[in-house]
Amino acid sequence: MSFYREFAQPAMLALARAGNRGCRVDTKLRAQLRAQAEISTDNTLGRIDRLVGRSVNPNSPKQVAELLYDDLKLPVQRKRGKGGQKGGVTTDEEAMKALRRLFPQHGELLSELLAFRGFSKEASRLGMELEEREGESYFVTSYNATGTVTGRISSSKPIVRKGGNLQNQTRGPSRRIFVAREGMRFMKADGS
């Protein structure tokens, strides 16, 4: 009970305040970065289609699996199942990087598939819902003080309001869209 009163409850209150405030977003930079990601996605898709000789949806695991394992006859990559057993067929990032190392003759195509997925995710993340307040835009999330087994703080999309999961935001240039309030600074800290 003393841990709850002295540590957990104050942390939950602080996280609730931070979540309700949200994080201010530079909407002009956000629009610019999203447009760049969409252009990169389209350009990469064009290169993939030229390399393959037909239209392929790189976001479709089924279409990518058919391309890699049926058309190119590359060895099927499988997810690891429970207890170390092999699971289902996969076209995830790890599988494509392994295939790229093993089959450098298909390296350009595999690199383009990976790049497409990265640009596509970036464009999607930059399309997050924002909350408008007093002429400014805010990214709102719910912080969970007890959201992980390890005790780390997690975040999730608020149930009541629009917003998103702050942990889904990338580490790349798109982090620049988050702007500290006047007179404030962002700080990165390790819980340990």
Side-chain angles (χ1 to χ4, degrees):
M1 212 44 194
S2 64
F3 174 78
Y4 174 76
R5 276 194 302 270
E6 293 173 34
F7 297 101
Q9 188 181 28
M12 286 185 235
L13 293 172
L15 291 172
R17 281 193 305 273
N20 285 330
R21 274 189 202 120
C23 190
R24 197 171 64 175
V25 172
D26 180 337
T27 54
K28 288 180 184 175
L29 179 60
R30 172 184 174 235
Q32 179 186 13
L33 291 173
R34 186 173 186 195
Q36 288 172 355
E38 288 171 350
I39 290 168
S40 296
T41 300
D42 291 344
N43 292 340
T44 305
L45 183 59
R47 288 191 296 273
I48 291 168
D49 290 349
R50 279 192 297 281
L51 287 167
V52 174
R54 63 181 164 80
S55 182
V56 174
N57 178 0
N59 281 331
S60 166
K62 182 181 179 192
Q63 286 186 32
V64 174
E66 288 171 359
L67 171 65
L68 298 179
Y69 307 134
D70 296 340
D71 299 349
L72 298 178
K73 307 285 189 238
L74 297 175
V76 175
Q77 302 295 299
R78 297 189 178 275
K79 296 177 188 171
R80 291 193 184 255
K82 292 183 179 179
Q85 296 177 359
K86 290 197 175 187
V89 173
T90 185
T91 61
D92 66 6
E93 182 177 357
E94 185 180 325
M96 285 202 273
K97 284 182 176 180
L99 289 170
R100 189 173 59 187
R101 281 190 306 274
L102 294 169
F103 300 94
Q105 66 271 30
H106 298 296
E108 183 180 3
L109 174 61
L110 292 163
S111 293
E112 293 292 353
L113 288 167
L114 288 166
F116 176 90
R117 287 182 176 175
F119 293 133
S120 179
K121 282 181 186 176
E122 183 78 358
S124 176
R125 284 187 195 114
L126 288 164
M128 69 191 103
E129 290 185 65
L130 300 176
E131 189 172 295
E132 301 297 324
R133 280 187 250 140
E134 299 172 13
E136 293 189 334
S137 299
Y138 290 86
F139 180 79
V140 180
T141 192
S142 290
Y143 294 102
N144 310 307
T146 57
T148 67
V149 176
T150 61
R152 288 187 174 152
I153 296 169
S154 67
S155 72
S156 58
K157 185 173 183 171
I159 296 169
V160 180
R161 300 188 324 250
K162 56 185 167 181
N165 184 341
L166 192 60
Q167 291 170 307
N168 288 344
Q169 302 310 308
T170 61
R171 288 198 161 104
S174 63
R175 278 206 177 167
R176 294 180 309 173
I177 69 169
F178 298 106
V179 182
R181 286 186 172 87
E182 194 70 34
M184 304 295 253
R185 292 184 182 209
F186 284 122
M187 182 180 85
K188 180 179 178 182
D190 186 326
S192 64

